[in-house]
Amino acid sequence: MGLTKQYLRYVASAVFGVIGSQKANITYVTLRGGERGRYVAVAACEHVFIWDVRKGEKVLILQGQKHEVTFLCTSPDGIHIAVGYEDGVVRIFSLLNGESNICFNGHKSAISVIHYDALGARLVTGSKDTDVIVWDIINECGLYRLRGHKDMVTQALLLKDKNLLVTCSKDSFVKWWDLDTQHCFKTVVGHRSEVWGMLLLNEENRLLTGSADSELRAWDINYLEGEKAEGEPKVKKGKTLLEDEDNDDDHGEGVDESLEERILSCTKAGSILREARDRVVSLTADSKARVIACHGNDSVLELFTVLSEEEVQKKMSKKLKKAKKKAAKVQEEANPDVKRTLKDEIIRLTNIKASAKIRWVDCLSCPGGELKVALLLQNNTVETYSLKTSDKTPTANKTARLTIGGHRTDVRTLAFSSDNLAVLSASGDTVKVWNRSTLQVIRTMACEYALCSLFVPGDRQIILGTKSGKLQIFELSSGSLLETVDAHDGALWSMCLAPDQRGIITGSADKTVKFWEFELVKDRETSHKRLAVKHTRTLQLEDDVLCVRFSPDHRLLAVSLLDCTVKVFYTDTLKFFLSLYGHKLPVLCLDISHDSTLIATGSADRNVKIWGLDFGDCHRSMFAHDDSVMFLQFVPKTHLFFTVGKDRKIKQWDADKFEHIQTLEGHHREVWCLAISPNGDHIVSSSHDKSLRLWERTREPIILEEEREMEREAEFEESLAKGDMPVVPGETAGEAAPAGKKTVETVKAAERIMEALELYREETRKMEEYQYFSEKAGKELPPPKPNPILVAFGNVSPSRYVLDVIKKVRSSELEVSLLVLPFPYIPELLKLFSSYVQQGLEVELVCRCLFFLLKIHFGQISSNQMLLSVIDELRTNTLSKVREIRDVLGFNSAALQFLQREIESKEEVMFFADATGRLEKKKKRRRKRERAVLTIA
């Protein structure tokens, strides 16, 4: 085999520059031993960052995989956080160690809402695919899928005391679901447009909904279950035979009516007017539902307070007194009538004006009537506020603002320092210099809208080219702006350092290319010498200049123009040399190889062309990206180059063999630019998703055939997961459906179960043959060799190996994996289940699998005479074993309760929760005594 060119793989190293992604909400979290309201969790593309708002530091990163985070929800105990992703997956992370052990995969598209029940044992998720799924966290599996909404689900709330769920959606409906029967028993239709948010107030007796207008609608909920027996109609009437016959027709209607109102009634109680005129973007409340926070698409957060029943009564008695006084003045004898309205119960607290448009909000009530509010803004900023709700006129104080770790607007230009250690990123208002190894910001300086940048040789100064045509020179040591030069009359699109490092060239939309030389001038104020640039020559062109590059041998200058051509000039005389034409749309980026033999051009027509610089011949045109090619750069000292596109991808190419080497995927929006370190070991890219990504070169070689094979495999697996769910015979799609979803993992799990069953068949066949021949020979023959797989697992028996394989299937994927199994494997599996139950192996897991298989293959199993004895055996064994387990659990539970009572009687202290309450009372008494002593003294 001949020598092949070796390519080295680049891998993702870090994501930085993003403080909080817009797609997912912000939520307060409590870390071990940390105070409440100090840490917030926000999404950062596919990861979740936990920020310490007091120090402004990242304290924990919950690593994602590929898809963007779309929703966050902390568990009631504060130990876990549920994270929803763009592809419909929900992962539950532990906040103690940042690891994820539970993964739920049931939705087809992005998760739009997640909510825990009061115990933290169930989780409800809503998605853009209009489905609502209820998950069992303890068993790590899906319970059921609820279908009924016609658009994205925007909120889902589980009630504390009743097994009910309320959901709202962009289809303008609020739906009530009975989770015992898994059906929608009530749809509230009082909204004219999308319902964007929803809250339960007054101990779940009131529902507050936010829609696309300026009203927050309130609904009174009356639970009717306590009043009547289950299934009982509204009114009991004794009927005569005649009446019975007459009323037969309308009897059906009466029953329907009572079914509708059997569980609860929901009536509109009024509405609160918001100051904002646009839609509700997010609506949230603190944990006790005493404070409501709401905002639209602007920068004002409106806070309302929900008064308790006592406070409302006080308010009403004051109102009544006033009304009586008024009546007395007018000398009216009638008692004045004072009606209680919604405005008496929910009153405006205050408004908080943030520094930019608000995207998400979370609030937290702290002891002493303090309310903490965390805002995620649309410009990559997190702000926190604090206010005292008990004050007459509460004012919010800004307690923290996280801005250092990222830019407010998109980064349009990047540059590496000559020592590979510093990275420069510049956006619409600031330029930042980062330490590449720690990813910390070293300097932040205010600038104009930057389009191009570079480090001046020596890495002590940087130069920016701006949208207004200015050149800005900054000193890094002091972080000060040394000089602003009015270089061009149009946007300064491109800038390139001269190969002799004595100057730069700039190209602009004013149709000129200007040459500048570095010089040291005396500063008038400090009389120290500082860097400046001196204009030496100008090259006038017919069209706007989009990109300029020197050839590394300083012989040629390449200029890309708005007329879709690239013109090449001699540097010394500025005489025209070549015109490279062939692109259908303007060339947005170009670069020249280190030996000045090749020029690569990337265009808005999505193609990259490679040209020779000797004669201007096009070596190859390659379709590079699915959208405009935004930036292109050669890896130093090679003929390999990278391109970035608006299709969110970064690609590496070989300019000699015209091969696509690898694709770096990670950005979730358009990629604007890229910088390669001078040694070629690191790449930094910037994107519209506000993130900067660092990629590093590994020592791992890339074999192109393998790379293409892996791409094809990934494509196949994706198409496999997109296939429809296997149909359960005899079932029609209803409101409730199984929660799982067919994925690559479930298909692989089913294949593993099938392989294990085939191995079991093979081994039992071998053993039967061995026994037959031993009997025939009348002596003990040498036993057959066991399968190498069984030996590898520690010489387990074939039946035990099948159980181990089933145990290894993820709990949330078990049902779908069994659903994929073809029926010929089922009889074998049922016989195995019978033996497992007899031996008492994994009874709970076996029962779960057994009941599911019986449910989906009921027809075939019940009509199969061969399975009759197996099923009968299973029935008796399963019942007795389950009873045994139940008895053990009951005994253990009773023993624990007995121990609790013993300890309580010894200590004379109530257990757990009550103990803390007693401690508080003791402390209060002690404080009172101390105060009394002080006053006497």
Side-chain angles (χ1 to χ4, degrees), residues 838-894:
Q838 270 175 333
Q839 296 166 51
L841 298 170
E842 301 292 336
V843 178
E844 284 178 57
L845 175 70
V846 170
C847 285
R848 187 177 155 197
C849 298
L850 171 66
F851 299 148
F852 183 74
L853 289 174
L854 288 175
K855 193 166 77 177
I856 60 170
H857 296 295
F858 179 74
Q860 283 165 295
I861 290 171
S862 56
S863 59
N864 190 331
Q865 289 294 316
M866 305 284 284
L867 289 175
L868 203 62
S869 58
V870 180
I871 295 294
D872 195 44
E873 204 176 296
L874 272 167
R875 185 174 60 86
T876 52
N877 291 338
T878 310
L879 285 171
S880 63
K881 279 289 172 197
V882 170
R883 278 199 196 103
E884 269 179 41
I885 292 173
R886 194 183 61 189
D887 292 345
V888 169
L889 284 173
F891 179 81
N892 290 345
S893 167

Side-chain angles (χ1 to χ4, degrees), residues 588 603-606 625-630 644-647 671:
L588 303 176
S603 159
D605 65 7
R606 305 184 283 184
H625 289 269
D626 297 331
D627 210 330
S628 304
V629 182
M630 296 305 293
V644 304
K646 279 188 175 179
D647 63 353
V671 187

Side-chain angles (χ1 to χ4, degrees), residues 393-406:
T393 51
T395 52
N397 303 313
K398 192 183 288 186
T399 50
R401 187 163 185 249
L402 304 178
T403 54
I404 294 289

Side-chain angles (χ1 to χ4, degrees), residues 368-386:
E370 187 191 5
L371 181 77
K372 289 184 176 179
V373 179
L375 303 176
L376 175 62
L377 307 182
Q378 284 185 14
N379 65 352
N380 196 26
T381 307
V382 169
E383 287 185 347
T384 60
Y385 293 83
S386 168

Side-chain angles (χ1 to χ4, degrees), residues 662-683:
Q662 66 174 328
T663 303
L664 305 178
E665 291 190 54
H667 283 294
H668 301 287
R669 297 285 176 282
E670 301 92 327
V671 187
W672 298 128
C673 59
L674 154 122
I676 303 175
S677 64
N679 62 8
D681 281 345
H682 294 91
I683 302 171

